[in-house]
Amino acid sequence: MNRIYSAAFAVALVTIPFISRAADAPREPYGIALEGFAYPYPVHLLPVVNDGEQLSMAYMDVAPVQPNGRTVVLLHGRNFPSSYWAPVIKMLSEAGFRVVVPDQIGFGKSSKPQGELHFDNLARNTMALLDHLKIDKAEIVAHSLGGMLGVRIARAYPDRVAHLVLTAPIGLEDYRLYVPPTPTETIIEAEDKLTADGYRKQLQTNYAIKLPPEAITPFIDARFNIKGSPDYPRWLRAFVSSGQMIYREPVAHEIPLITEPTLFIMGADDHNAPGRPLAPEALRAKMGQNAELAKAFAAKMPNARAEVIPDTGHLVFLEAPDKYRELVLGFLGR
């Protein structure tokens, strides 16, 4: 019953800003900065410059109910707008934390650059946001691709990180050891052919999602409603660039060097491994042993531990909200 209640609670929170849409209904176009797509809190824009290009970084800045003087920065994954953090924002705000939730450049309501994406740039942008908000040190809570960025931030700016929570992070292995390089244009062509139904199946398969289908619809809409935008090709190139960034800029070799208090929260059924379909068949089964990889890393690190939640996939904080709350607030309360 607790599992059923938790799933229903997560679905309600995720779908609050959205209206259900029949599968065969016409899609109302969004802009490539997700204009027309509702976020749960007001969105602000910060000007940044990446590789000479003038860009805007979107973020939410949510005040605590009763301030404890601390700030949490939430780092989103690749296939999700930062709005999916809504239940975690509420949880942390009610616990006394100020919550800063950026859309990284190339994602969500932030600019889609002409140039390539790089973790170093995303890390610098995040530090620029903290400087703008006059935040000297923050708790970093990251999910999926955000976990790779969280690692880079912890390594490059250790004095700015109080605690690091890696929620179902990717990048626990160097995908170059399994997957051959693929030209960007080849990936763009394949991604452009993907249908909404195909994308839904891809998410369900890759992420071992335990939520009802309607909870995934906002993620489908966030991607496919922008196909009606005249700027869609620019969005698509930025999206593919983020995948190439994951492949070309591994962080697995840096994880054991993190000295800040670190908590891995893993779904036992999460075997997500970007690029697995492109790997030789003999290597595919070796990829995505994420819970075991997290435990092995934690054992090597000076101040880390790994928690594995049973019967849970990649969307840990939506699928097991009660356990996630217990782990995160307990860890940050140290």
Side-chain angles (χ1 to χ4, degrees):
M1 285 297 294
N2 186 56
R3 169 67 62 179
I4 294 171
Y5 170 80
S6 296
F9 176 72
V11 171
L13 287 171
V14 172
T15 56
I16 281 171
F18 311 103
I19 299 174
S20 298
R21 181 186 54 80
D24 56 352
R27 293 183 176 273
E28 180 179 350
Y30 295 156
I32 65 167
L34 287 186
E35 296 91 346
F37 183 91
Y39 271 34
Y41 300 93
V43 176
H44 313 278
L45 296 176
L46 175 71
V48 297
V49 179
N50 287 178
D51 300 326
E53 190 174 0
Q54 300 280 346
L55 303 164
S56 295
M57 184 177 187
Y59 66 95
M60 294 176 281
D61 183 6
V62 182
V65 175
Q66 293 184 340
N68 63 13
R70 299 163 66 188
T71 299
V72 176
V73 176
L74 299 178
L75 303 177
H76 61 78
R78 181 182 183 225
N79 284 292
F80 310 100
S82 62
S83 58
Y84 80 149
W85 281 117
V88 178
I89 298 171
K90 183 174 184 292
M91 173 192 88
L92 291 167
S93 176
E94 290 178 347
F97 294 93
R98 179 184 184 180
V99 190
V100 176
V101 194
D103 274 328
Q104 297 298 326
I105 292 297
F107 300 88
K109 290 184 178 290
S110 290
S111 297
K112 309 305 178 289
Q114 300 286 353
E116 295 294 325
L117 295 174
H118 300 286
F119 281 121
D120 286 337
N121 279 345
L122 301 188
R124 279 191 288 269
N125 294 338
T126 305
M127 291 303 103
L129 176 60
L130 292 186
D131 290 342
H132 172 71
L133 298 175
K134 297 180 171 53
I135 298 168
D136 294 328
K137 199 165 191 172
E139 320 289 347
I140 302 295
V141 176
H143 175 245
S144 195
L145 174 143
M148 297 183 74
L149 176 57
V151 169
R152 184 56 54 85
I153 288 173
R155 291 284 295 132
Y157 306 97
D159 294 341
R160 308 293 297 270
V161 178
H163 295 81
L164 178 63
V165 178
L166 298 175
T167 307
I170 60 170
L172 299 179
E173 53 196 327
D174 187 340
Y175 303 116
R176 299 174 304 175
L177 303 180
Y178 304 97
V179 182
T182 306
T184 293
E185 298 303 325
T186 300
I187 302 175
I188 287 176
E189 183 179 357
E191 291 287 351
D192 192 39
K193 291 179 180 177
L194 188 64
T195 65
D197 286 342
Y199 184 55
R200 181 182 291 276
K201 291 174 184 175
Q202 188 181 93
L203 292 178
Q204 291 170 333
T205 299
N206 293 348
Y207 297 157
I209 291 175
K210 312 297 182 183
L211 299 171
E214 59 269 22
I216 311 305
T217 299
F219 308 142
I220 310 298
D221 289 348
R223 172 164 180 176
F224 282 88
N225 288 18
I226 62 176
K227 276 200 164 187
S229 167
D231 294 322
Y232 170 71
R234 183 152 58 93
W235 176 91
L236 182 59
R237 186 165 291 275
F239 179 73
V240 170
S241 179
S242 69
Q244 295 286 43
M245 176 178 66
I246 292 168
Y247 179 80
R248 295 170 179 164
E249 302 181 11
V251 301
H253 314 292
E254 301 176 51
I255 294 174
L257 304 176
I258 295 173
T259 57
E260 295 73 41
T262 301
L263 174 64
F264 297 85
I265 304 180
M266 312 301 295
D269 297 338
D270 178 19
H271 298 289
N272 180 34
R276 181 191 279 121
L278 301 175
E281 188 172 355
L283 297 179
R284 291 175 197 167
K286 299 180 180 181
M287 301 176 67
Q289 304 304 315
N290 297 322
E292 296 304 315
L293 288 167
K295 289 189 285 186
F297 275 126
K300 297 176 184 177
M301 297 163 68
N303 196 358
R305 80 176 200 265
E307 297 283 350
V308 181
I309 304 177
D311 191 31
T312 304
H314 191 60
L315 289 169
V316 177
F317 58 90
L318 297 178
E319 296 176 11
D322 296 334
K323 184 63 176 177
Y324 189 76
R325 175 189 178 90
E326 173 191 331
L327 291 171
V328 171
L329 294 185
F331 179 67
L332 297 183
R334 289 170 49 184

